[in-house]
Amino acid sequence: MGYQAQTVEAPVAVAAKRKPRERKNRDALWGYGFLMPQLLGLLLFSIIPLLSVFYLSMASWDGLGPITFVGLDNFIAQLQSSDLHIALLNTLAYTAIAVPGGLFLALLIALGLNNVRGKTVYRVLYFMPFITGSVAVGVIWAFLLNSDFGLFNSILRSVFHAKGVGWLTDPRFVIPSIALVGIWQGLGFNMIILLAGLQGIPVSYSEAARMDGANRFQLFWNVTLPMLSPTIFFCTVISILSSFQVFDITFILTGGGPGKDSYTMVYHIYHLGFENATFGPASAAAVILFVILLAITAVQFRLQKLWVNYEV
């Protein structure tokens, strides 16, 4: 009887052990099935194009004919190109205006909306420019900044009796004007992120600081700003990456002009690839931009230890 009981219970025990394993494998298959569309999209639209850019950066190709390997000639030509130097300087000038200006205004607005009624409505209103199409934004601001009949110059002439300014035609004002549009369009994104960071600061810290006699400035400088530093760091990294890739607003407003005073890095890549049909140099310029952004981001992550506070 003991032997029979053992032979009967053995298949039951095996089946009992098999069911969790089968269920785990089935759940894994379902998980991979749900991940497959995203993985295919990542492969087709990110990984393959990225690898293709690195390959084409060392080749000569006009988009139709055969691909010829040229080694590092494209990189050498681009590093010696005056157009790339101009594009890099213009991009740096745009970044120097758009990033700190946008973060400062976004922080002010986030502080103002942190404790007001109807903040949801304000968040929607400020966020709308960020989700508005760049073509629509460019058309609107092209009208506002027009040298002849634009709203800005009309106000200068009628209210201040001043001479109109060539916002998009004067080399002195074209980069600040484009940066103004970039700040306006990206303000809502940074504001939402900073507002979320402000709402995540424990109220007990502010209450303790007030009990110790801290005024509003001391409260902001010693409590709010250190606690908000991780959020500010995130917005800084994202803003710099975005500003170095500015193209659509420049393309719509100025076309890189006047001359090449608004000729940016991505516009340079577009000009080489899609206007001149020289995809090798265009890919080399894209790789150079990638290396620059990688280096800037690495420096930011290294320097964050000096001012970012992650302690709660």
Side-chain angles (χ1 to χ4, degrees):
M1 294 295 292
Y3 176 75
Q4 292 179 351
Q6 184 178 3
T7 56
V8 171
E9 292 176 359
V12 176
V14 172
K17 293 180 180 179
R18 186 182 301 167
K19 286 183 178 180
R21 188 181 303 115
E22 292 177 352
R23 188 182 302 112
K24 184 178 180 180
N25 293 335
R26 186 170 60 250
D27 292 343
L29 289 176
W30 276 106
Y32 287 123
F34 284 116
L35 286 174
M36 191 58 62
Q38 181 65 25
L39 293 176
L40 287 176
L42 181 66
L43 178 66
L44 293 175
F45 300 109
S46 295
I47 298 178
I48 293 178
L50 181 62
L51 296 177
S52 300
V53 166
F54 281 100
Y55 172 71
L56 290 176
S57 65
M58 294 182 290
S60 176
W61 187 46
D62 60 1
L64 296 175
I67 300 177
T68 305
F69 182 78
V70 296
L72 298 178
D73 290 350
N74 290 329
F75 289 100
I76 296 174
Q78 284 303 302
L79 292 174
Q80 296 175 349
S81 172
S82 60
D83 287 347
L84 185 135
H85 299 161
I86 293 172
L88 181 58
L89 290 176
N90 289 337
T91 304
L92 289 173
Y94 173 88
T95 303
I97 299 173
V99 173
L103 290 176
F104 178 74
L105 290 177
L107 180 58
L108 286 181
I109 296 172
L111 290 170
L113 297 180
N114 192 29
N115 295 309
V116 299
R117 294 181 179 179
K119 65 177 66 177
T120 302
V121 177
Y122 289 109
R123 283 186 292 187
V124 171
L125 293 176
Y126 278 108
F127 196 72
M128 284 179 64
F130 182 75
I131 61 176
T132 303
S134 298
V135 175
V137 172
V139 170
I140 293 172
W141 279 92
F143 172 76
L144 295 175
L145 298 173
N146 187 276
S147 302
D148 299 323
F149 53 81
L151 179 62
F152 285 14
N153 278 348
S154 298
I155 294 175
L156 286 177
R157 295 188 185 101
S158 60
V159 178
F160 299 99
H161 304 287
K163 187 178 180 181
V165 176
W167 302 105
L168 301 176
T169 57
D170 192 327
R172 297 172 300 173
F173 297 104
V174 62
I175 289 294
S177 299
I178 296 174
L180 173 65
V181 180
I183 291 173
W184 178 83
Q185 188 176 17
L187 188 63
F189 176 81
N190 288 328
M191 183 272 296
I192 291 291
I193 301 298
L194 291 171
L195 184 59
L198 287 171
Q199 294 177 350
I201 298 176
V203 181
S204 58
Y205 286 20
S206 301
E207 293 176 350
R210 290 192 184 96
M211 292 180 62
D212 290 338
N215 54 35
R216 289 188 175 181
F217 177 78
Q218 292 172 334
L219 181 63
F220 169 77
W221 188 260
N222 297 310
V223 178
T224 303
L225 197 58
M227 298 298 297
L228 196 62
S229 58
T231 309
I232 296 175
F233 172 71
F234 171 79
C235 291
T236 302
V237 173
I238 296 300
S239 298
I240 290 178
L241 293 176
S242 177
S243 64
F244 264 82
Q245 300 175 69
V246 61
F247 167 74
D248 43 8
I249 296 300
T250 303
F251 179 79
I252 296 167
L253 290 178
T254 64
K260 290 188 176 180
D261 292 298
S262 61
Y263 190 75
T264 59
M265 285 293 294
V266 178
Y267 200 101
H268 176 64
I269 297 170
Y270 165 81
H271 173 70
L272 291 174
F274 296 97
E275 292 184 349
N276 292 354
T278 52
F279 291 97
S283 299
V287 172
I288 292 172
L289 177 60
F290 170 77
V291 172
I292 292 173
L293 291 178
L294 187 64
I296 292 175
T297 305
V299 170
Q300 287 179 286
F301 273 91
R302 179 62 63 89
L303 295 179
Q304 68 164 328
K305 300 177 183 178
L306 302 178
W307 64 279
V308 179
N309 177 33
Y310 289 104
E311 298 180 2
V312 179

